[in-house]
Amino acid sequence: MELKITTCYCLCDDFLISKGWHDDPQCTMSTAEVMTAALTAAAFFSGSYE
């Protein structure tokens, strides 16, 4: 499961880089991390974000 989550993060990060996305300097969690958390919850925990 950890390998799939890491792969998901890398894909999200590479996607955002290819689109030219830049996070706000004040954010504490990157957009790729937020996307990974949502996709992980949907894939492994039946959509439970808690």
Side-chain angles (χ1 to χ4, degrees):
M1 183 165 89
E2 290 179 25
L3 181 62
K4 290 181 181 180
I5 294 171
T6 303
T7 303
C8 179
Y9 172 78
C10 291
L11 289 173
C12 289
D13 194 44
D14 288 345
F15 173 76
L16 291 170
I17 289 171
S18 72
K19 295 297 181 183
W21 182 266
H22 297 287
D23 288 330
D24 188 89
Q26 296 178 354
C27 71
T28 57
M29 191 170 176
S30 72
T31 304
E33 291 172 325
V34 172
M35 290 171 64
T36 301
L39 292 171
T40 300
F44 300 113
F45 302 109
S46 303
S48 177
Y49 293 103
E50 293 180 30

